[in-house]
Amino acid sequence: MTTHPLPPVVDTATWERRLQTLRAREKAATRELDAIAAERRRLPMVEVPDYTLEGEDGPVRLVDVFDGKRQLIVYHHMWFPGKEWQCPGCTGFTAQFTRLEFLDGYDARFVVVTQGPIDEALAYKRRVGNRMTWYSTADSSFGADVGAPPGGEFAVNVFLREGDTVYRTWHTSCRGAEQLTHTFALIDLLPYGRQEEWQDSPEGWPQSPAYSRWPRSEDIAALYGAGADGAERPRQGR
């Protein structure tokens, strides 16, 4: 006999009826997401200045961060000066992106930009085993101008290049970034969900303070960092 809270047990026909009722709502949500994406494709855009960031090989213009592509997704990683371990949410979020080559078929690229000095940022990238290409905006107003100032929250921005001119097309932060991750999508399928106190769950369901089940940056480093498998991760991109 278990002491764990459980969903009610019903016959197959009852379960199928309840599933189909939920499926109708899921399909409606899918159609709404399609409509939102359609509206996103119709958003106007704004031209941005010719920023210069710092990359692994030195200064690089924002237009060259596209690496020849026309579309660019930028994840602005939070940065705390002098800290050994940076934001666990950002560290865990970007750790999942290990295969980005599929974006080539869409004429797009996905990179990390942070307020941290480039040497410190690259050292942190190696320590936690991150596979994305990192840039620093420590000596540029780029981050601050697009919603990711020093000491601020993380953010996601999307840009479009036409020749040497760059335009900003979309921006989000906080839970708006969840659509980019598979982690929450998988967890939300589970009977107990995210198990966080803010969620609407049946009485008795396991619940913990928000973020308490998230891996720490140290955990990410132990799993994926340079020393985790005894070898340095291969260098990616420019």
Side-chain angles (χ1 to χ4, degrees), residues 11 14 49 57 74 78 82 117 171 196 199 202:
D11 60 82
T14 301
D57 298 320
V74 173
M78 294 173 66
H171 166 266
E196 295 194 356
Q199 286 198 295

Side-chain angles (χ1 to χ4, degrees), residues 94-179:
T94 57
Q96 69 187 290
F97 298 106
T98 60
R99 297 290 185 271
L100 294 169
E101 292 82 5
F102 70 92
L103 288 172
D104 292 345
Y106 296 88
D107 202 12
R109 193 182 189 209
F110 188 8
V111 302
V112 170
V113 172
T114 185
Q115 292 284 351
I118 189 61
D119 289 345
E120 295 180 26
L122 293 175
Y124 186 73
K125 170 191 170 178
R126 290 189 291 270
R127 187 181 314 133
V128 299
N130 193 284
R131 302 292 294 274
M132 300 179 73
T133 304
W134 284 49
Y135 298 90
S136 169
T137 185
D139 298 321
S140 166
S141 65
F142 172 64
D145 291 348
V146 295
E153 297 287 340
F154 71 91
V156 179
N157 279 285
V158 181
F159 302 92
L160 178 66
R161 179 182 65 85
E162 181 65 22
D164 282 346
T165 303
V166 175
Y167 301 91
R168 186 185 185 198
T169 65
W170 189 71
H171 166 266
T172 195
S173 60
C174 300
R175 294 194 64 195
E178 285 188 7
Q179 63 186 292

Side-chain angles (χ1 to χ4, degrees), residues 184-228:
F184 292 123
L186 289 174
I187 295 168
D188 285 343
L189 294 178
L190 301 173
Y192 296 136
R194 304 186 196 185
Q195 303 179 46
E196 295 194 356
E197 292 172 338
W198 62 270
Q199 286 198 295
D200 181 1
S201 296
E203 185 175 352
W205 249 229
Q207 289 185 302
S208 306
Y211 317 127
S212 62
R213 294 179 181 270
W214 292 19
R216 301 172 304 162
S217 299
E218 299 96 311
D219 300 327
I220 299 297
L223 289 170
Y224 307 121

